[in-house]
Amino acid sequence: VSTQSTWEAVVSTQSTWEAVVSTQSTWEAVVSTQSTWDVYEHCKASRRRCNVVNLDPAAEVFGYPVAIDIRELITVDDVAEELQLGPNGALVFCMEHLAENFDWLEEQIDDS
């Protein structure tokens, strides 16, 4: 996923999707959650603007600051409870909801 060369890295570990966003770099890479921390620390040490985007609606704890969080739009727990779905069904529903509301994510990125 890339918008106007602002995505530095898309980060994935099984059901966890995150992205590190920067306006000063155009490189993209797929890395692990541990690497999210490494990329964040590298950007910080390099004095680059860096925002971490959490796209995992089931995430609970991060070892780094998250600038944009899908849980502000939708959470797995809320979907599971409201629609009486299991965790996998709720996660699929959340991803479909994000796809249908991608403008929300674009607005969040533009505002950060």
Side-chain angles (χ1 to χ4, degrees):
V1 178
S2 180
T3 303
Q4 301 173 353
S5 302
T6 60
W7 294 91
E8 264 192 20
V10 175
V11 182
S12 170
T13 57
Q14 296 172 357
S15 66
T16 303
W17 285 93
E18 299 164 345
V20 179
V21 181
S22 173
T23 59
Q24 299 176 4
S25 179
T26 59
W27 64 272
E28 297 179 28
V30 176
V31 292
S32 70
T33 296
Q34 176 58 45
S35 295
T36 303
W37 173 255
D38 295 338
V39 170
Y40 171 75
E41 285 297 312
H42 172 74
C43 290
K44 187 174 160 185
S46 301
R47 298 181 186 209
R48 288 184 172 173
R49 180 173 166 229
C50 181
N51 294 316
V52 177
V53 178
N54 171 45
L55 297 178
D56 180 358
E60 294 181 0
V61 178
F62 301 96
Y64 37 80
V66 176
I68 302 169
D69 194 343
I70 188 176
R71 297 172 305 170
E72 294 174 13
L73 176 68
I74 193 166
T75 68
V76 166
D77 291 339
D78 290 344
V79 169
E81 184 179 321
E82 188 172 324
L83 300 178
Q84 298 182 354
L85 295 172
N88 292 339
L91 185 58
V92 169
F93 183 91
C94 289
M95 293 297 96
E96 290 172 348
H97 185 73
L98 177 61
E100 293 169 1
N101 295 281
F102 201 74
D103 56 325
W104 173 86
L105 182 59
E106 290 176 328
E107 289 172 12
Q108 297 297 311
I109 291 170
D110 289 343
D111 292 344
S112 66

